């Protein structure tokens, strides 16, 4: 296992990824050829069987994309993603220190956690990688990002990020705004103040921050604000491209 994005972040570099929530190895290939650093296969809001998840991960590797999975709420989701070969996980709705500890327990082998051990799966090259070397490498290489997307998570930010094994705080701005009572989006002043507070706390703790970006301008702004791990939304980008094309063509018909 070689986790290129974790290495880049540890070396002070910034990385750009893309959420994909539909099963399409072809889109994964396009993202790799376009030059993204990583893909986030969205098993929270997307629809994937475990076989499809594995094929998306396999395709990402073929085009030099680091495969990350945003896991579902199923208890086995972290285990399944990592056994399929994901080099990182994003875990939604982590609001307390206790929940962060549970994430690490599922993502890391003993002594750091309680991840179930097997060497027959794809991540261990079907038995080619075994024993202490595989366990230590997995514990070192797997990237663990927890979503900060509730008021409670903002309040507990320091405790969450001080849990050993958590690598990145990922700001889920849409969920945060809804959780705070503003369903129309994160533009409300209260939400913006909460976001700014998270960035301030992250700087104090020297914790890497990630977030989602709806377009190029938002991605640039996120990096300028201090994010090192910015993820675009693939389906939104595709839909917007289709809409822009049709508007342009329709205008030429007049």
């Amino acid at each position: 296992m070689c986790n290129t994005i974790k290495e880049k972040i540890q070396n002070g570099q910034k990385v750009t990824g893309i959420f994909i929530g539909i099963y399409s190895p072809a889109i994964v290939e396009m993202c790799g050829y376009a030059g993204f650093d990583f893909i986030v296969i969205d098993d929270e809001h997307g629809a994937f069987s475990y076989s499809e998840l594995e094929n998306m991960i396999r395709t990402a590797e073929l085009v030099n994309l680091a495969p990350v999975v945003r896991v579902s709420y199923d208890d086995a989701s972290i285990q399944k993603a990592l056994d399929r070969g994901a080099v990182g996980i994003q875990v939604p709705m982590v609001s307390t220190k206790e929940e962060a500890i549970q994430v690490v327990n599922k993502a890391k082998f003993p002594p750091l956690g309680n991840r179930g051990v097997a060497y027959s799966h794809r991540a261990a090259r079907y038995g080619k990688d075994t024993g202490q070397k595989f366990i230590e490498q997995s514990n070192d290489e797997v990237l663990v990002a927890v979503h900060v997307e509730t008021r409670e998570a903002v309040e507990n930010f320091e405790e969450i990020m001080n849990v050993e094994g958590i690598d990145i705080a990922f700001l889920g701005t849409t969920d945060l705004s809804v959780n705070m009572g503003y369903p129309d989006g994160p533009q409300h002043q209260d939400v913006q103040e909460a976001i700014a507070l998270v960035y301030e706390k992250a700087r104090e703790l020297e914790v890497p921050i990630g977030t989602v970006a709806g377009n190029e301008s938002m991605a640039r702004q996120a990096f300028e604000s201090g994010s090192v791990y910015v993820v675009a939304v693939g389906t939104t980008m595709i839909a917007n491209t289709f809409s822009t094309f049709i508007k342009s063509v329709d205008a030429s018909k007049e």
Side-chain angles (χ1 to χ4, degrees), residues 89-134:
I89 54 168
Q90 290 188 204
V91 184
M93 294 293 175
V94 177
S95 297
T96 67
K97 175 183 177 180
E98 290 71 26
E99 290 171 353
I101 291 172
Q102 290 177 14
V103 169
V104 174
N105 280 339
K106 292 177 180 179
K108 303 290 186 177
F109 293 118
L112 297 180
N114 293 312
R115 177 182 168 188
V117 180
Y119 304 121
S120 57
H121 50 66
R122 184 172 182 274
R125 299 193 301 162
Y126 309 107
K128 292 291 185 182
D129 299 328
T130 62
Q132 192 67 24
K133 182 178 179 181
F134 172 73

Side-chain angles (χ1 to χ4, degrees), residues 3 9 28 30 43 54 67 69 89 114-115 147 159 169 200 210 218 253:
N3 192 338
I9 291 169
V28 177
M30 294 178 201
D43 202 31
E54 183 171 304
V69 176
I89 54 168
N114 293 312
R115 177 182 168 188
H147 282 222
E159 288 188 356
E200 180 182 342
M218 292 174 66
K253 297 176 183 177

Side-chain angles (χ1 to χ4, degrees), residues 2-194:
C2 179
N3 192 338
T4 55
I5 55 169
K6 187 169 184 177
E7 183 179 347
K8 287 179 180 179
I9 291 169
Q10 289 174 340
N11 290 332
Q13 296 176 256
K14 300 175 180 179
V15 293
T16 308
I18 184 166
F19 280 117
I20 298 294
I22 55 177
Y23 178 64
S24 176
I27 291 178
V28 177
E29 287 182 305
M30 294 178 201
C31 293
Y33 296 142
F36 285 95
D37 296 296
F38 64 101
I39 184 172
V40 181
I41 304 164
D42 190 359
D43 202 31
E44 180 192 15
H45 296 295
F48 299 95
S49 69
Y50 289 126
S51 294
E52 290 172 341
L53 193 70
E54 183 171 304
N55 283 334
M56 294 284 277
I57 291 169
R58 181 179 287 114
T59 305
E61 293 172 350
L62 291 173
V63 289
N64 297 316
L65 281 171
V68 176
V69 176
R70 176 158 68 176
V71 298
S72 72
Y73 299 96
D74 188 296
D75 284 342
S77 186
I78 291 176
Q79 177 86 51
K80 294 290 189 180
L82 296 178
D83 285 356
R84 305 282 77 71
V87 299
I89 54 168
Q90 290 188 204
V91 184
M93 294 293 175
V94 177
S95 297
T96 67
K97 175 183 177 180
E98 290 71 26
E99 290 171 353
I101 291 172
Q102 290 177 14
V103 169
V104 174
N105 280 339
K106 292 177 180 179
K108 303 290 186 177
F109 293 118
L112 297 180
N114 293 312
R115 177 182 168 188
V117 180
Y119 304 121
S120 57
H121 50 66
R122 184 172 182 274
R125 299 193 301 162
Y126 309 107
K128 292 291 185 182
D129 299 328
T130 62
Q132 192 67 24
K133 182 178 179 181
F134 172 73
I135 288 173
E136 289 181 354
Q137 185 178 35
S138 297
N139 281 349
D140 288 341
E141 295 290 336
V142 167
L143 180 81
V144 178
V146 293
H147 282 222
V148 176
E149 46 196 358
T150 65
R151 189 189 298 271
E152 186 179 13
V154 175
E155 294 171 351
N156 294 329
F157 185 82
E158 293 94 339
E159 288 188 356
I160 292 170
M161 296 312 301
N162 280 330
V163 172
E164 184 181 1
I166 303 295
D167 298 299
I168 292 179
F170 188 87
L171 263 169
T173 53
T174 299
D175 272 305
L176 179 60
S177 63
V178 172
N179 179 267
M180 293 180 65
Y182 306 106
D184 293 329
Q187 297 81 13
H188 193 280
Q189 182 179 349
D190 289 352
V191 183
Q192 288 298 309
E193 288 177 356

Side-chain angles (χ1 to χ4, degrees), residues 177-252:
S177 63
V178 172
N179 179 267
M180 293 180 65
Y182 306 106
D184 293 329
Q187 297 81 13
H188 193 280
Q189 182 179 349
D190 289 352
V191 183
Q192 288 298 309
E193 288 177 356
I195 292 171
L197 179 60
V198 170
Y199 275 110
E200 180 182 342
K201 289 181 176 181
R203 283 192 292 270
E204 292 174 355
L205 295 174
E206 298 183 346
V207 168
I209 285 281
T211 195
V212 63
N215 53 46
E216 300 94 324
S217 176
M218 292 174 66
R220 289 193 296 269
Q221 183 179 356
F223 282 128
E224 291 169 0
S225 297
S227 291
V228 299
Y229 178 102
V230 175
V231 189
V233 182
T235 49
T236 301
M237 294 175 70
I238 293 169
N240 288 344
T241 299
F242 290 163
S243 296
T244 300
F245 176 82
I246 288 298
K247 288 178 183 178
S248 178
V249 171
D250 285 349
S252 69

